[in-house]
Amino acid sequence: MSKRKFSFKSIRMSLILSLGIAMVVISLFMTFMIGKTVLNSNKEQITTSIVTLTENKSNSVEKKMTEMVYSAEAFAGLLGGSWAIPEKQRSTSIEQEVRAMVKSSTINSAWAYWIPNMFDHKDERRADSKDNPTGQFKVHYIRDKNGRIKNDIVTEFTSQEIKEYTDAAITFINEPSITTLDGERVLSAKVFSPIQNSLGQRTGIAGIDIVLSGLESMMDGSSIYKKTNCQFLTSTGVVLASSDGSSVGSKSGLFSDYKDFFESRDPESGTLDPSTKHFTAKVNNTNMFITVVKTQVDRSGSYWYFVSITPLKVMDESAWRTIWNIVFAFVLQIIIVMAIVYLVVSKITNPLKTTVNALQNISEGDGDMTVRLHSNQANEIGAMCESFNKTMDKLSSSIKEAKDSSAEMHGIGNELNDSMAQTSMAVTDITSSIQSIQNQMQEHAAGVEEARSVVEQIVKNIKKLNENIEVQASSVNDSSAAVEEMTANIRNVTTILENNRQSITSLEQASESGQALINNTADLSAKIQARSKNLQEASIVIKKIASQTNLLAMNAAIEAAHAGDSGQGFAVVAGEIRKLAEESSSQGTKIQNELMEVSNLIDEVTKSTKTVQDQFNSIFGLTKTVSEQEHVIVEAMKEQNKGSEQVLDLIHTINTITGSVKNDSDQMMEGSRQVSFEMDSIANMTTDVNTNVKNMTEKTDAIGEFSKKAQHCVEMNVNSIAKLQEAMNKFKVE
């Protein structure tokens, strides 16, 4: 039988290449998807952070401006009670109160104007053709740069302007302008608040000057984001303050170019939309992220604007750093996983490689049957190695017995050949010596009987060889069943991995539910923070009431002093009212401090909630990664299943070879039976010769022919035995 050449690819190399390519493709895909998600998420987080921090800083500026409005209203309320002071002392008391307020507060300039004949009915006495032609009462004080209080004013108003501002009946801040304060030109705005007497009549206007350079310290954009510039604009777009100090006092170009974002309106009601707006625009040939927060700093109802401007390039730097970190992590992961795959695949394929080499040596090489596999693995590979060793032991034992039997048959065949040669010579001599044939026929009959017994022994040995070959075929079938069982176990492992994939899907759903709960918690924290802001405004109102009560107590004390002894009881009441006002002011301050601490705690809760949100996002991303790796493992098990099927095909090839050997053995069995049949014929012929010696002369030719046939059969038997011995010698069993 000719040798067959098998060409195949290495299972280890196929697995490593397949898994390597799959890992690279999956990693590239995951890097792209995760990078895209991280880029978008990072941009969204940065955008949300910038908007939130801009709103917080806007609230601080709004609070600063609102404090000025409250101060102006408190100042106007204080002056509104001047009617209770006697007319002789009224002007002096008011001037002292205004001077004391400028001295004891952070206000640098305060002033008040009364409508003519609405203060003390002494306008004619105060009339001055140069400085005060109408004689209306006015008071104004400023603090100079040395801290001294001076009777001076920043801006003078006409009677018509005073009447117009008084009739406005609201507290408002006018447009900023360049003014001279204490000899220096500064950008300032004025806060106007109407003065109202006890009858509800508006008698004049009071106000304070705000030096806007003090807002520059609150414009630091670095606290919002790196390289962020902040601007504070009036309702008409004039820049009050800026981080870089540029364009202060002039109209903002952003307000002119993107006015729709500043003055956006509700599409249904048509009213101004108070919500924060953000958009992307090109400023000085640079793409910028712009956030516009609307604030109300006075009682006019118009919006002022706090604007933050952040370069998009700076915002993208952080996201790209994160993406490069992800790329590096995936590259490192691929290297580690490929090293693990190489080790695992090598551990799995090394016994298979040894098995293939051994089987190739048996089928194509020197037939070394002493090769054994060594594996300490307690799995299907170890079981296969053990079954292979047992199969080789059985085959070696059978082939060894066949070799011994073939050697014995070879010797018997040679003897039989010699005997048949002598028989042929005897038949040739029959024609010349018929007389002596009778004696020789006795010896010939004995030789035939001996040859018959030898042939029967050959038939028995061939039967034994055939049984051993059947045992070998059974062992090969057992090996095939073991490999099939290993393949079934691999399929079971694949099924278990599919079940694990369903569990990971459930974990992803649970992560999404947790993320939704955390988002609800963040919304509740924001609502609580908004409510605490309203409580802070209430505490400011309490302080305002306490201030006005204190003023009333002071006026009551003045009246009690004018009344003399009869007003002592009224003075006691005034003192108690003053104490009550001081306690109310103190309690208002404490309430405001407590509310500020509550607001800070709410901020910390909001930040913690944000951190938990990030953690849930990380858990969700990691769950996705585990799901993808589970899919990779399933694919690897499928590749391993294909490798096991290749091994099963090799076992089937061995089974085919064993069948071929069995067919040859059957042919030998048939030949031996034919020899036995011929030997029976010779025995019968010998018997006939012994009984019919007289007819021997006539049967001499027939005996010659049968002798030649017997000689030919013996030669064929010897050749068959030689071939069998040659085939058995191909296998090394010791």
Side-chain angles (χ1 to χ4, degrees), residues 609-628:
T609 305
K610 185 65 177 176
T611 302
V612 175
Q613 281 181 308
D614 294 339
Q615 292 297 326
F616 266 100
N617 290 334
S618 299
I619 292 171
F620 185 73
L622 291 173
T623 304
K624 286 287 187 181
T625 302
V626 172
S627 177
E628 295 296 336

Side-chain angles (χ1 to χ4, degrees), residues 37 82 99 122 126 219 277 283 287 334 392 408 606 612 719:
T37 302
S82 62
R99 187 178 189 280
K122 296 180 180 180
R126 287 189 293 268
M219 294 291 109
K277 301 295 181 182
V283 180
N287 291 325
I334 291 173
M392 296 304 292
E408 183 177 355
T606 303
V612 175
N719 292 333

Side-chain angles (χ1 to χ4, degrees), residues 544-581:
K544 177 182 175 182
I545 293 171
S547 175
Q548 292 179 347
T549 304
N550 190 21
L551 177 62
L552 292 175
M554 180 185 69
N555 292 334
I558 295 173
E559 291 296 333
H562 292 161
D565 294 338
S566 61
Q568 289 182 355
F570 191 57
V572 173
V573 173
E576 292 300 324
I577 292 175
R578 181 183 294 276
K579 291 180 180 179
L580 178 61

Side-chain angles (χ1 to χ4, degrees), residues 184-363:
E184 294 183 1
R185 292 179 60 82
V186 295
L187 181 68
S188 67
K190 298 182 182 298
V191 184
F192 295 86
S193 183
I195 301 173
Q196 201 169 22
N197 61 17
S198 61
L199 299 178
Q201 298 174 332
R202 290 185 291 275
T203 60
I205 191 75
I208 60 176
D209 290 295
I210 306 173
V211 179
L212 298 178
S213 60
L215 294 177
E216 292 180 357
S217 60
M218 305 180 69
M219 294 291 109
D220 181 18
S222 61
S223 60
I224 296 177
Y225 203 76
K226 184 168 58 176
K227 296 185 179 180
T228 296
N229 181 30
C230 295
Q231 294 180 353
F232 188 49
L233 314 180
T234 66
S235 59
T236 59
V238 176
V239 180
L240 295 177
S242 176
S243 298
D244 56 4
S246 62
S247 67
V248 174
S250 60
K251 195 165 185 178
S252 172
L254 289 174
F255 186 85
S256 301
D257 297 337
Y258 304 98
K259 196 170 184 179
D260 292 339
F261 289 99
F262 289 85
E263 297 182 351
S264 60
R265 295 182 178 273
D266 191 323
E268 296 182 357
S269 62
T271 59
L272 289 174
D273 185 4
S275 62
T276 300
K277 301 295 181 182
H278 56 83
F279 57 94
T280 301
K282 183 166 287 189
V283 180
N284 296 328
N285 296 324
T286 303
N287 291 325
M288 297 290 186
F289 177 76
I290 301 170
T291 304
V292 179
V293 182
K294 300 176 182 178
T295 64
Q296 287 185 329
V297 298
D298 56 17
R299 309 297 184 184
S300 66
S302 60
Y303 289 108
W304 290 30
Y305 309 99
F306 187 90
V307 182
S308 67
I309 306 171
T310 307
L312 285 177
K313 182 178 180 181
V314 176
M315 295 171 61
D316 292 338
E317 287 177 355
S318 176
W320 281 108
R321 281 197 300 269
T322 304
I323 290 176
W324 282 118
N325 290 335
I326 292 174
V327 171
F328 175 75
F330 270 109
V331 172
L332 182 61
Q333 174 188 343
I334 291 173
I335 294 173
I336 295 175
V337 171
M338 287 304 299
I340 295 174
V341 167
Y342 178 80
L343 294 176
V344 172
V345 171
S346 298
K347 188 175 182 181
I348 293 174
T349 57
N350 283 339
L352 297 178
K353 184 177 181 181
T354 305
T355 304
V356 171
N357 292 334
L359 294 176
Q360 283 183 335
N361 180 271
I362 293 172
S363 61

Side-chain angles (χ1 to χ4, degrees), residues 172-184:
F172 66 95
I173 303 176
N174 73 338
E175 289 292 324
S177 61
I178 301 296
T179 57
T180 302
L181 180 62
D182 193 24
E184 294 183 1

